[in-house]
Amino acid sequence: IIINIADRTLYFFRDGNLTVIPVGVGKSAAHVNGDWKTSTGRFHIRAKKTNPTWYVPESIQIEALLKGKEVVERVPPGPDNPLGKHALVTSKPGILIHETNRPSSVYRYVSHGCIRVLPEHMKRLFPLVQVGEGGEIIYEPVKVAAGDNGKVYLEVRTDVYKRVGSLREHAERVIKAKGL
């Protein structure tokens, strides 16, 4: 499992096959009570949960309080649960790969750090992923590859987390590192 925050995509490799799934990731701006950018790094799947209960993190409870909304500590399984029907628990604290009950949040930077997946995509992914499966969350706004036809393909995304500085200079470094 590779999740690239910058292109909001989950790449799942298994037996020579690639499954590509759009995802929602952490908010790009810091807030009064926290920074909810999705963190990078290696992880493994610690558990798979069907109809999970969501135990609301304290930071999200504080956010609700500051917005004058009802503060809840847990949300049982059902249509109001933001984790949906399936969740993959990662070894990264507070980071789940989960179905969402807010489909419009997928392919956006709006979560509190978790990886949101459309229900129809999680239905396909969930049975494929095994407990113990490894993965990595990366942040790479520049992708470059050389095709068999000799063409060079370049994709540059916005540096929404402001981690690479000049996109032009970063793209030049990535291209050079590939020997292109």
Side-chain angles (χ1 to χ4, degrees), residues 58-93:
E58 187 177 335
S59 60
I60 297 174
Q61 292 180 41
I62 292 169
E63 178 187 40
L65 183 66
L66 291 173
K67 289 182 175 181
K69 295 182 178 180
E70 178 187 3
V71 177
V72 296
E73 294 180 8
R74 63 184 281 287
V75 180
D80 295 330
N81 187 319
L83 302 183
K85 293 180 181 178
H86 298 96
L88 301 169
V89 180
T90 75
S91 58
K92 293 185 75 53

Side-chain angles (χ1 to χ4, degrees), residues 130-155:
Q130 299 171 8
V131 172
E133 187 112 37
E136 186 171 7
I137 300 173
I138 65 170
Y139 183 86
E140 181 51 75
V142 176
K143 294 190 287 188
V144 64
D148 293 336
N149 58 6
K151 289 185 179 182
V152 174
Y153 299 91
L154 176 67
E155 179 179 316

Side-chain angles (χ1 to χ4, degrees), residues 13-28:
F13 299 87
R14 171 66 52 80
D15 301 326
N17 296 312
L18 171 63
T19 302
V20 179
I21 296 174
V23 295
V25 295
K27 297 176 182 182
S28 60

Side-chain angles (χ1 to χ4, degrees), residues 28-46:
S28 60
H31 296 269
V32 174
N33 57 321
D35 179 355
W36 288 313
K37 294 176 178 150
T38 300
S39 63
T40 58
R42 294 186 182 278
F43 66 88
H44 65 273
I45 301 299
R46 290 184 32 209

Side-chain angles (χ1 to χ4, degrees), residues 97-130:
I97 302 168
H98 66 83
E99 188 175 305
T100 182
N101 64 350
R102 295 184 181 141
S104 65
S105 70
V106 172
Y107 207 66
R108 297 182 62 205
Y109 299 94
V110 296
S111 82
H112 291 92
C114 282
I115 312 299
R116 294 181 181 179
V117 179
L118 290 172
E120 59 268 27
H121 294 155
M122 185 55 95
K123 186 176 181 179
R124 192 174 68 208
L125 179 66
F126 192 78
L128 297 175
V129 175
Q130 299 171 8

Side-chain angles (χ1 to χ4, degrees), residues 146-163:
D148 293 336
N149 58 6
K151 289 185 179 182
V152 174
Y153 299 91
L154 176 67
E155 179 179 316
V156 179
R157 300 293 180 140
T158 303
D159 179 17
V160 72
Y161 282 8
K162 310 233 180 293
R163 292 187 176 165

